[in-house]
Amino acid sequence: MIKLINEMLEMEKNKALSDVEGNKRVILLAEDNEANIETFNSYLSAFGYEIMTANNGMQAIEIATTATIDLILMDIQMPIMDGFEAILILRKEPKLDRVPIVALTALALVGDRERCLAAGANEYLSKPVKMKLLVNTIRELLGET
Ligand code: MN
């Protein structure tokens, strides 16, 4: 029981900061794998983030240009439009040229990291992503540390 309470307190302490109006920070998750969406969604929701999901790069651009997004998690391998192309397009949008983007890839080819960063991603994480590392990266990019 004590352990559970301690864990809950720890969770509360680690929750994401809200913006000045007290709204949750919104993360756009662009990912085509349902199992990954589920995992990321439950984990990040528990940390106090609001998650919006897109299943391909095209949808990601649609959502990012119409909603207010604090950060984007961009899978690279997606159908219709991949993450590279989506990042390149997003970076040309004046409204989105500074939104932090974390590229995620299972490919992990040599040069992948450089390619993602050159396209305009702020960070690159290879899958499988350790959830703790993901949250730390997000918090750092959102200035929550
Ligand atoms: Mn994918």
Side-chain angles (χ1 to χ4, degrees):
M1 190 61 180
I2 302 266
K3 187 165 181 269
L4 181 66
I5 292 169
N6 281 339
E7 273 170 17
M8 284 170 73
L9 285 174
E10 188 66 20
M11 199 83 164
E12 198 58 39
K13 200 175 72 190
N14 285 328
K15 269 199 178 166
L17 301 177
S18 302
D19 64 17
V20 279
E21 287 95 31
N23 296 312
K24 286 183 172 185
R25 298 287 180 99
V26 181
I27 295 177
L28 171 59
L29 170 62
E31 167 67 64
D32 61 318
N33 180 291
E34 277 303 324
N36 285 344
I37 291 173
E38 195 121 324
T39 307
F40 282 70
N41 203 350
S42 57
Y43 198 85
L44 295 175
S45 298
F47 272 86
Y49 295 107
E50 188 178 321
I51 313 298
M52 295 183 83
T53 53
N55 298 119
N56 59 63
M58 196 79 93
Q59 269 182 17
I61 290 167
E62 266 176 43
I63 294 172
T65 49
T66 52
T68 302
I69 303 292
D70 295 297
L71 182 142
I72 300 171
L73 297 178
M74 184 74 78
D75 179 33
I76 295 302
Q77 291 81 38
M78 289 189 291
I80 303 171
M81 182 193 286
D82 69 23
F84 280 121
E85 199 175 342
I87 293 171
L88 287 170
I89 293 169
L90 288 172
R91 285 305 186 222
K92 288 184 186 140
E93 285 286 322
K95 179 195 161 201
L96 296 164
D97 60 355
R98 279 160 192 267
V99 173
I101 299 177
V102 180
L104 307 167
T105 178
L107 257 186
L109 295 174
V110 177
D112 240 23
R113 181 186 190 89
E114 290 66 28
R115 221 179 135 209
C116 287
L117 299 181
N122 300 74
E123 269 299 340
Y124 163 93
L125 298 174
S126 58
K127 294 186 195 173
V129 181
K130 290 206 175 72
M131 286 297 144
K132 192 167 182 181
L133 175 63
L134 179 68
V135 169
N136 287 343
T137 303
I138 290 170
R139 299 188 74 174
E140 203 163 298
L141 287 170
L142 290 177
E144 294 176 335
T145 46

